[in-house]
Structures are given as C-alpha cells and as structure tokens.
C-alpha cells in the first residue's frame, strides 16, 4: 500500500506532555474521525508514550495519567466543534492537566475561537502546569505556538511526502521492497522554535 502514515508524531505528542508535566495527571484527547485508522493509531501513540505500555485503549492511572469523562472527543474534522468540546471539558474539569490533540483542527480550523479559549491559560501553559500538545503545523498553528497558546506542535512534512511519493510508486511498480509505512520525519514547533521549526 505504501501509506505515508506519520505515526511517530503521536508518540512525540505524548513525549512533549510527559516532558513538561512530570507529575502527570488528568488528560483529554481531541481526535478527528473515529473511523480513520491513522487517527486511532495516533491515539494509541500518545497512550503508549504516557503509560509506558503498549496497546491500552484508555488510561486509568497508568504512568500517572487518567483520561477524564467524555474523552476522547471526536470532532469529525470540525474545528469549531473541537473548540466547543474543549470548552465543555475544561468547564467540567477545571484542574485538567493536558490535552493531546490528534489532528490540529481546533487550531487551524477555528484559530480565533481557539485563541479566545486558551488566552486565560497562557500562564499555565508557559509554566508547564497545563500542557497542550497538538498535531500538524499548518494554517495559524505556528502563530498560535509563537503566542504561547499551545505547548508543542508535531507536524507532518507534506513537501517531503510529495517528494518521496513518486520514487515509492516507481519502486512498487518495479517490484522492489518498500517500507510500509514510509516515515517522512517531523516538524516540531514550540514557542521558542517557531522561526526555525518548519523544514523548508
């Protein structure tokens, strides 16, 4: 199949959360589409990372992390729906420690509502008391990172995917072995690296 899945991005999303929030806590995952295999694999990646175990479908204290009620939230690729869900989750869980966002729809799909929601959390995000680790580095996402309203972005590299795709297809046509999935590396952005984090 030669799929360009970027499944190591989700593991890195978890690593950023773990690095910042060493005392663990309560977490919620915001995901795109429940039927999408890559999203389910991404959700598995951050759970594996935070728990130190493979294959858990929900964290109930493993690695110190517990998923709060009503999570994961599936946005079905609707950014505004994602921001509204995050608003509701924060209202129900004022002491929430982290969001793992698998698919940056709330950021790139509804950037202003996202900013409005997270501005009051900027100090907690800056101190590492509250961690928001999100997929993708598109649209307004890097600007949002520069503003300190997301802890870390972990993005795929569309140019590299486009560059590699023809050679992978030629290898497949010629019957040569091809890695499946093909990993294309990651762009990782934090507030301090927004000028240099996107691979040109």
């Amino acid at each position: 199949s030669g799929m360009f899945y970027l499944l190591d991005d989700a593991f890195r999303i978890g690593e950023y959360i773990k690095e910042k929030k060493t005392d663990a806590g309560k977490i919620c995952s915001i995901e795109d589409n429940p039927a999408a295999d890559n999203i389910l694999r991404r959700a598995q990646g951050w759970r594996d990372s935070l728990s130190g175990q493979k294959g858990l479908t929900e964290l109930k204290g493993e690695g110190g992390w517990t998923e709060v009620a009503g999570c994961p939230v599936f946005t079905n690729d609707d950014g505004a729906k994602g921001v509204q869900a995050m608003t509701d989750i924060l209202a129900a869980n004022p002491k929430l420690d982290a969001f793992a966002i698998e698919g940056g729809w709330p950021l790139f799909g509804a950037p202003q509502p996202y900013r409005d929601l997270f501005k009051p959390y900027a100090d907690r995000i800056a101190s590492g008391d509250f961690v928001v680790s999100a997929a993708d580095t598109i649209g307004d996402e890097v600007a949002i990172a520069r503003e300190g309203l997301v802890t870390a972005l972990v993005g795929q590299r569309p140019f590299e995917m486009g560059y590699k795709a023809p050679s992978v297809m030629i290898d497949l046509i010629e019957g040569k072995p091809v890695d499946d999935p093909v990993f294309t590396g990651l762009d990782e952005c934090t507030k301090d690296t927004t000028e240099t984090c996107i691979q040109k």
Side-chain angles (χ1 to χ4, degrees):
S1 67
M3 294 296 288
F4 283 94
Y5 273 162
L6 233 156
L7 306 179
D8 49 349
D9 63 347
F11 194 82
R12 281 299 294 149
I13 285 171
E15 294 290 292
Y16 273 110
I17 293 170
K18 208 158 62 171
E19 284 164 24
K20 284 283 184 187
K21 192 76 187 174
T22 52
D23 56 346
K26 296 182 183 327
I27 188 167
C28 180
S29 172
I30 309 296
E31 302 172 23
D32 297 343
N33 183 333
D37 180 58
N38 62 324
I39 293 301
L40 298 177
R41 289 204 207 184
R42 276 176 159 180
Q44 198 58 61
W46 70 260
R47 285 189 183 104
D48 291 354
S49 169
L50 289 184
S51 68
Q53 301 177 45
K54 288 231 180 280
L56 296 174
T57 55
E58 182 186 348
L59 301 186
K60 300 175 184 172
E62 295 86 0
W65 289 96
T66 302
E67 292 179 61
V68 298
C71 300
V73 171
F74 292 99
T75 66
N76 293 309
D77 299 350
D78 181 334
K81 182 178 175 183
V83 173
Q84 183 57 56
M86 295 170 94
T87 305
D88 296 343
I89 293 294
L90 284 166
N93 301 275
K95 292 194 173 6
L96 190 76
D97 295 291
F99 275 115
I101 305 178
E102 312 299 326
W105 283 93
L107 290 85
F108 65 72
Q112 198 51 52
Y114 178 91
R115 284 181 169 104
D116 294 342
L117 175 60
F118 282 96
K119 271 188 186 130
Y121 294 91
D123 289 346
R124 283 188 67 200
I125 291 169
S127 72
D129 178 54
F130 181 49
V131 183
V132 183
S133 194
D136 304 315
T137 50
I138 57 180
D140 268 15
E141 285 194 275
V142 176
I144 287 169
R146 192 175 304 121
E147 293 157 28
L149 300 180
V150 65
T151 307
L153 301 172
V154 182
Q156 302 178 10
R157 292 178 172 160
F159 177 83
E160 195 174 339
M161 290 178 188
Y163 182 79
K164 280 188 174 180
S167 60
V168 169
M169 283 190 252
I170 290 166
D171 285 346
L172 288 169
I173 290 165
E174 293 177 354
K176 293 179 183 166
V178 172
D179 290 337
D180 184 10
V182 174
F183 288 108
T184 54
L186 299 169
D187 288 325
E188 300 182 22
C189 300
T190 64
K191 185 178 183 179
D192 299 329
T193 65
T194 53
E195 299 308 316
T196 55
C197 63
I198 305 294
Q199 187 189 48
K200 297 288 184 263

